[in-house]
């Protein structure tokens, strides 16, 4: 068994809290668990449920520096979500104003995948299971 058997959460810092909150909770449909304003940091923290036991923490801070997504840089590359029907998810995202890249095939697994970006241009992958 792995020493680290599961991911508990992923934390993201956004440039525009209201915009990212709407994107992750309304567009992607993650359930809001809690939202707190931390006055001492002038920072919002939003906990979103991705699936049972897995959450996404969305933070705001005054004037955070941008993190490059292109060209690819060291560190976190992207978030990837397993989906049962990639075409259905793409269609729903398109209805909600999100543009996905053309679907590709993973040359090693034969699985279909695509990418779209969050409001801060963080790549998000859909990987068909």
């Amino acid at each position: 068994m792995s020493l680290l058997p599961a991911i508990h959460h992923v934390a993201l810092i956004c440039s525009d809290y209201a915009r990212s909150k709407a994107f992750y909770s309304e567009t992607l449909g993650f359930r809001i668990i809690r939202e707190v304003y931390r006055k001492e940091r002038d920072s919002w923290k939003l906990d979103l449920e991705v699936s049972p036991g897995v959450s996404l923490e969305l933070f705001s801070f005054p004037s955070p520096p941008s993190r490059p997504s292109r060209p690819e840089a060291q560190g976190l590359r992207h978030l990837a979500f397993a989906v049962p029907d990639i075409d259905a998810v793409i269609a729903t995202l398109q209805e909600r104003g999100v543009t996905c890249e053309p679907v590709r095939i993973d040359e090693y697994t034969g699985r279909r995948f695509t990418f779209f970006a969050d409001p801060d241009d963080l790549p998000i992958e859909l990987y068909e299971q």
Side-chain angles (χ1 to χ4, degrees):
M1 178 174 183
S2 169
L3 180 63
L4 309 173
I7 291 176
H8 180 264
H9 70 270
V10 174
L12 302 176
I13 298 171
C14 62
S15 65
D16 181 323
Y17 180 73
R19 180 180 66 175
S20 290
K21 176 184 175 183
F23 180 79
Y24 283 99
S25 66
E26 296 169 19
T27 304
L28 299 186
F30 296 148
R31 185 179 68 83
I32 295 175
I33 300 168
R34 78 184 59 79
E35 179 179 37
V36 295
Y37 179 71
R38 302 172 313 166
K39 186 177 179 179
E40 70 283 357
R41 294 181 173 187
D42 188 20
S43 169
W44 284 97
K45 180 181 184 282
L46 180 67
D47 294 322
L48 299 154
E49 182 182 55
V50 174
S51 60
V54 180
S55 61
L56 185 129
E57 294 178 344
L58 185 65
F59 292 93
S60 72
F61 291 102
S63 304
S66 295
R67 181 183 313 271
S69 288
R70 290 170 187 84
E72 294 180 356
Q74 292 179 9
L76 179 66
R77 169 64 184 106
H78 62 265
L79 300 177
F81 294 96
V83 298
D85 182 347
I86 198 168
D87 296 317
V89 175
I90 290 169
T92 300
L93 288 171
Q94 287 176 335
E95 290 170 4
R96 297 177 183 178
V98 177
T99 302
C100 293
E101 295 177 359
V103 173
R104 295 181 269 167
I105 306 294
D106 184 313
E107 63 184 285
Y108 301 107
T109 66
R111 302 285 182 158
R112 299 167 70 217
F113 69 99
T114 188
F115 285 89
F116 62 96
D118 85 346
D120 288 309
D121 205 30
L122 172 69
I124 299 175
E125 180 179 2
L126 302 175
Y127 196 87
E128 192 170 58
Q129 295 291 299

